[in-house]
Amino acid sequence: MFNKLIENSTAKSPWLYHMNTGSCNGCDIEIVAALTPHFDAERFGCKLAGTPRHADIILITGPVTEQSKDRLIRTLEQVPEPYVVMAVGSCPNSCNVFKDSYSVAGPLEKYCHVDVSVSGCACKPEAIMLGVVKATEILKEKRRAMKK
Amino acid sequence: MSFSFPYLKYALGNLTKKTSCDMYPLKKKEVAPGYRGAIAYDPNKCVNCGMCMKVCSPGAITRTEVEKDGGKEITYRFDWTSCTFCGMCHDFCDEKAITMTDHYEMVGNAEDLVTVATYFKKTPAGKLTVSDDCVFCGLCAKNCPESAITVDRANKSWTVDEEKCVKCGKCISKCPKKALAFAKPQVKCGDDCVFCGLCAKNCPEEAITVDRPNKSWSVDPEKCVLCGKCVSKCPKKTLCI
């Protein structure tokens, strides 16, 4: 019974970890805006975690630059299973205008499976909130699949 | 020892107040006027000039062309996950086939976040022409509903009256030697040309070259997509397809 209680409560409180892989800061600001009382993504139980080791949902912004590539891989290795990767903005999804640049090693799909894509340049906080809600559902399914 | 609750007054007061939160998924939010969201594309207005692809800085627009009977099947694909929502494609579209909607809930798999539309563009028929295979049997003239074709068997001559021809294609299907065909249409420049170069400037495929000092005008039929942009931009109305 106790285990079930933990399971239910974790499903309703996904912790977010925000990672910038060379973003212009546009989407980062929108993520922060989504957590403020005006939009209030925390209604869904989200909390911004300080370390990837506590995180359930990883929000990635930026087109994955050469400099941040190794850090991205290292960070994702530290996240406990199961976790959901969310690509926020056009950059991690496709590198946007930075396609074929010498210093860009993206898109994000090359390095991990992207579960939820949110597009926009920069995306609206509402879209990020919808993405987080969708990610929570995927997280639930992943947890169930792991139990079996 | 004394306890003080400095914020008690505010905490109790706020209990009865309305929330300052937008309550977004429950209450849909209207976007500000002029907001540029997902791209909407009307294939019925598009003339396949390709200007949108040329001005798109992230290369989010791709086009595929499939040759079909009497024309081309053209598919335009607008990738939202690649788009910067700058609105340049909308600004440059002369036919206003591309519009920026207020749809901002672009969430899901990357493959689903696209606008795709297909349309069929008929190649406009050019002048009816005959090849050397012609045996002057006269079947084409017999079957022409407008009596536009005259065949003189004795003199081995074949002529078509362009004024009368309605380009129905009946003669082509009846020809036993398959010698008849519609020529690929071309952009033509009339005598009124002032060599201003506006047609070359507006050509999305850079198919037109205008040499002002030498007063020469030429079009590369290989590059030309027959979009008709030059025809509409010509100030002397001397161009035609």
Side-chain angles (χ1 to χ4, degrees), chain B residues 41-50 63-66 68 71-76 78 95 97 116-122 225-227:
Chain B
Y41 167 66
D42 185 355
N44 297 323
K45 286 184 185 166
C46 181
V47 292
N48 190 28
C49 69
R63 164 178 71 183
T64 41
E65 289 177 333
V66 182
K68 282 252 173 92
K72 271 184 210 158
E73 209 173 63
I74 296 150
T75 309
Y76 272 86
F78 300 81
E95 310 297 324
V116 188
T118 308
Y119 71 99
F120 187 76
K121 189 183 180 185
K122 243 167 96 179
V225 292
L226 298 167
C227 67

Side-chain angles (χ1 to χ4, degrees), chain A residues 38 90 94 96 99 117 119 126-127, chain B residues 22 29 58 81-84 108:
Chain A
H38 186 70
S90 290
S94 65
N96 209 340
K99 261 179 220 130
S117 295
S119 71
E126 283 92 347
Chain B
D22 267 351
K29 207 182 170 188
T81 61
S82 207
C83 184
T84 49

Side-chain angles (χ1 to χ4, degrees), chain A residues 30-100:
Chain A
E30 301 298 334
I31 288 172
V32 177
L35 295 165
T36 55
H38 186 70
F39 299 101
D40 212 7
E42 293 186 350
R43 277 178 294 145
F44 312 118
C46 306
K47 181 181 174 290
L48 206 59
T51 155
R53 288 162 203 242
H54 294 166
D56 299 304
I57 298 171
I58 316 291
L59 307 173
I60 295 176
T61 56
V64 189
T65 52
E66 285 286 351
Q67 288 278 339
S68 63
K69 187 182 86 185
D70 295 338
R71 277 114 180 144
L72 168 75
I73 294 164
R74 229 191 297 158
T75 310
L76 286 176
E77 276 170 359
Q78 294 176 35
V79 186
E81 287 280 350
Y83 64 93
V84 173
V85 176
M86 201 171 127
V88 178
S90 290
C91 286
N93 285 313
S94 65
C95 294
N96 209 340
V97 283
F98 308 109
K99 261 179 220 130
D100 306 323

